[in-house]
Amino acid sequence: MKKFLLIAVMMMTSVVLFAQNDVTKFLGIPVDGFKSEMIRKLKAKGFVSSSYDPEILEGEFNGTDVNVHIVTNNNKVYRILLSDKTPIDETNIKIRFNNLCRQFSNNDNYIVIDDYTIPEYEDISYETLVNDKRYEAVFYQLPDTTMLMENLQVMALEKYTEEELANPTKEIEEDLNEMSYSYLMDIAPMKPVWFMIDDIYGGYSILMYYDNEYNRANGEDL
């Protein structure tokens, strides 16, 4: 887990204020806005419309041919769903799943909560059929550093004076680090990227989700 060392000094550093939502990104594109805009931006990345639905895109992602589905709530994009175009067998889906787990775990842009890799001896087909087990892994994109520091600065100034932050005691530094970690854990779940194994027609594929939890439906339309 990344620690916020010397956070007191960083809080006193001037930052540029800007109005931008800190949301999950897919290929650098915020998972937000209107569907037509997202389609245009993804096509600029090389994806093309599928032959059977112009709103479903297809292309290569992380070395695999995928279909890209754009999901909205109240006309705002809240999810990018990637699905493998070609199902594979049990041995290869286990390898693919575990490779993805390692890639995310080794990516400094993500918070790692657990080890989701599947043991080599595990029988996926048996576990899913008999025990109804679901194989999935979730990671969280780190918040934008500038926006994070802006919010932490406000929180720190509510508790300490500028003089105390400029020359913090050991106790204040420890409190600031704890405050930073707690705040990070509060906002991280709003930027999840997760994937799961899907059993389809006797084969297996990966479904991967880039979710913007700020745009998800929370019963406001009920």
Side-chain angles (χ1 to χ4, degrees):
M1 184 58 59
K2 294 177 173 59
K3 296 181 180 179
F4 292 86
L5 301 177
L6 301 178
I7 194 169
V9 176
M10 295 177 68
M11 284 180 175
M12 299 310 299
T13 303
S14 61
V15 294
V16 179
L17 299 178
F18 57 97
Q20 175 182 337
N21 291 326
D22 183 22
V23 300
T24 308
K25 292 182 176 62
F26 173 66
L27 293 177
I29 304 170
V31 181
D32 201 359
F34 295 108
K35 189 172 187 176
S36 58
E37 296 173 349
M38 180 60 71
I39 290 175
R40 176 178 56 80
K41 292 176 181 178
L42 290 177
K43 285 185 174 181
K45 293 285 187 178
F47 292 94
V48 298
S49 292
S50 68
S51 58
Y52 55 90
D53 188 334
E55 293 193 340
I56 296 177
L57 305 180
E58 56 186 29
E60 183 179 318
F61 177 72
N62 196 37
T64 301
D65 290 330
V66 298
N67 291 321
V68 182
H69 304 261
I70 302 166
V71 187
T72 63
N73 172 51
N74 283 332
N75 296 317
K76 285 293 187 73
V77 176
Y78 87 86
R79 166 176 287 173
I80 299 295
L81 164 60
L82 311 173
S83 60
D84 293 351
K85 292 188 68 174
T86 306
I88 54 181
D89 62 28
E90 181 173 340
T91 298
N92 284 303
I93 199 64
K94 187 186 298 183
I95 293 172
R96 174 153 160 66
F97 184 92
N98 286 344
N99 280 342
L100 281 171
C101 288
R102 284 188 282 269
Q103 288 175 343
F104 275 98
S105 295
N106 293 331
N107 191 320
D108 291 338
N109 294 320
Y110 288 88
I111 297 172
V112 182
I113 302 297
D114 204 351
D115 178 9
Y116 302 99
T117 53
I118 305 171
E120 184 177 351
Y121 60 81
E122 188 148 319
D123 187 333
I124 294 177
S125 58
Y126 176 85
E127 291 295 336
T128 54
L129 181 63
V130 177
N131 295 326
D132 198 27
K133 185 172 181 177
R134 176 163 158 163
Y135 292 94
E136 63 181 28
V138 59
F139 301 86
Y140 301 104
Q141 287 186 356
L142 284 168
D144 179 275
T145 303
T146 302
M147 297 188 71
L148 176 65
M149 296 312 300
E150 289 175 4
N151 292 333
L152 288 174
Q153 182 182 30
V154 172
M155 293 169 59
L157 288 172
E158 289 178 349
K159 191 170 184 180
Y160 300 105
T161 66
E162 292 186 3
E163 291 74 18
E164 288 175 318
L165 293 176
N167 298 284
T169 63
K170 182 178 179 181
E171 288 73 19
I172 291 179
E173 287 184 352
E174 291 177 349
D175 185 42
L176 291 172
N177 282 331
E178 183 178 342
M179 183 189 306
S180 303
Y181 180 80
S182 177
Y183 179 66
L184 180 61
M185 291 299 98
D186 285 341
I187 63 175
M190 303 307 289
K191 302 177 64 177
V193 178
W194 61 286
F195 53 92
M196 61 177 287
I197 293 178
D198 185 38
D199 183 353
I200 178 170
Y201 304 123
Y204 298 92
S205 65
I206 292 290
L207 300 180
M208 186 177 297
Y209 305 82
Y210 284 73
D211 288 348
N212 172 2
E213 291 295 325
Y214 295 103
N215 286 353
R216 180 186 290 274
N218 289 305
E220 61 270 15
D221 294 334
L222 297 179

